[in-house]
Amino acid sequence: DQQVKQNSPSLSVQEGRISILNCDYTNSMFDYFLWYKKYPAEGPTFLISISSIKDKNEDGRFTVFLNKSAKHLSLHIVPSQPGDSAVYFCAATDTGTASKLTFGTGTRLQVTL
Amino acid sequence: DTAVSQTPKYLVTQMGNDKSIKCEQNLGHDTMYWYKQDSKKFLKIMFSYNNKELIINETVPNRFSPKSPDKAHLNLHINSLELGDSAVYFCASSQDLVEQFFGPGTRLTVL
């Protein structure tokens, strides 16, 4: 029962263009969402997060959008850079219960020159 | 000055053996976690400790036994290793119970 889904296993974007990574969730108790970035042979690193009381959070080139009614969030990277090439994991949690993150299966982003 | 470190990075062993993976964090966080990333790249929580006390145990076989000697360390001991235990194991720590800081992972291969 996968509560967080990233339906695109991979995405290729040209340098300078916008990258849009999508994530869907099924658990309506989730109220906090995070994006992690992972390079090969390294652990995931935190990128950006959003609380369910917001619908947008921005940090430099990274913006996360949350659509609660659709149970959908997306990460926008603009402009995309070659160093952004990595696997991006969406994660969600219910902050009212134990601190457990539920992860999606990741989307591999390739930014080409 | 690595924030979350794990040893070893790679572990190759035979079925039936017992092995341990160590994790240390120097961030002063109260909560530590073990995650398993399987062959389908699905990252799933196994255990969580807060100040040396177990707070999450996600129906992991009891062959897996975490041990937290102090809040900076959370080790994972695995008895009677099986082929299906082959995976990458990540340790993580957190202070705010949400944003988690991950170690580099330990790739376990059971032959």
Side-chain angles (χ1 to χ4, degrees):
Chain A
D1 173 30
Q2 214 172 316
Q3 299 183 63
V4 178
K5 297 179 186 178
Q6 293 175 256
N7 292 318
S8 299
S10 64
L11 175 68
S12 183
V13 171
Q14 227 174 4
E15 182 182 10
R17 308 291 277 260
I18 185 169
S19 295
I20 301 176
L21 296 96
N22 293 303
C23 178
D24 297 292
Y25 62 96
T26 57
N27 188 340
S28 57
M29 297 300 294
F30 287 151
D31 60 358
Y32 200 84
F33 305 88
L34 306 90
W35 284 93
Y36 279 80
K37 177 179 177 178
K38 185 183 180 304
Y39 292 118
E42 294 183 12
T45 55
F46 170 75
L47 193 56
I48 192 169
S49 63
I50 188 166
S51 163
S52 62
I53 62 173
K54 292 184 163 185
D55 55 19
K56 177 182 172 181
N57 189 27
E58 197 170 346
D59 183 3
R61 296 185 297 114
F62 302 91
T63 303
V64 55
F65 295 92
L66 175 62
N67 182 334
K68 279 188 297 185
S69 59
K71 293 193 177 69
H72 177 84
L73 63 154
S74 60
L75 174 68
H76 292 211
I77 306 172
V78 55
S80 301
Q81 298 174 354
D84 296 331
S85 297
V87 177
Y88 290 78
F89 289 96
C90 170
T93 188
D94 170 6
T95 57
T97 61
S99 60
K100 183 174 78 168
L101 289 181
T102 301
F103 282 85
T105 49
T107 296
R108 181 176 300 278
L109 173 66
Q110 180 76 35
V111 179
T112 58
L113 297 172
Chain B
D1 59 344
T2 306
V4 181
S5 59
Q6 296 177 228
T7 53
K9 194 164 175 64
Y10 300 96
L11 185 52
V12 181
T13 188
Q14 299 284 337
M15 265 175 45
N17 284 351
D18 303 338
K19 289 293 178 186
S20 291
I21 307 172
K22 294 186 176 181
C23 178
E24 177 181 0
Q25 54 98 1
N26 62 7
L27 297 166
H29 290 165
D30 289 334
T31 308
M32 295 185 72
Y33 310 81
W34 277 109
Y35 285 84
K36 178 180 179 180
Q37 186 179 35
D38 59 24
S39 57
K40 294 180 180 175
K41 306 301 181 188
F42 194 35
L43 194 63
K44 190 170 181 187
I45 190 164
M46 301 172 69
F47 300 103
S48 173
Y49 270 72
N50 182 271
N51 268 318
K52 304 195 298 175
E53 183 180 336
L54 180 67
I55 57 172
I56 295 174
N57 181 340
E58 285 290 301
T59 56
V60 176
N62 57 16
R63 297 183 295 104
F64 290 78
S65 51
K67 284 189 173 50
S68 182
D70 55 63
K71 76 172 193 177
H73 295 84
L74 180 61
N75 304 322
L76 184 64
H77 189 76
I78 315 170
N79 288 331
S80 304
L81 278 155
E82 299 178 357
L83 293 176
D85 298 332
S86 295
V88 182
Y89 292 84
F90 289 98
C91 176
S93 74
S94 174
Q95 187 57 34
D96 62 7
L97 302 185
V98 178
E99 183 185 338
Q100 298 179 14
F101 293 78
F102 284 79
T106 296
R107 182 175 293 277
L108 171 65
T109 303
V110 182
L111 303 175

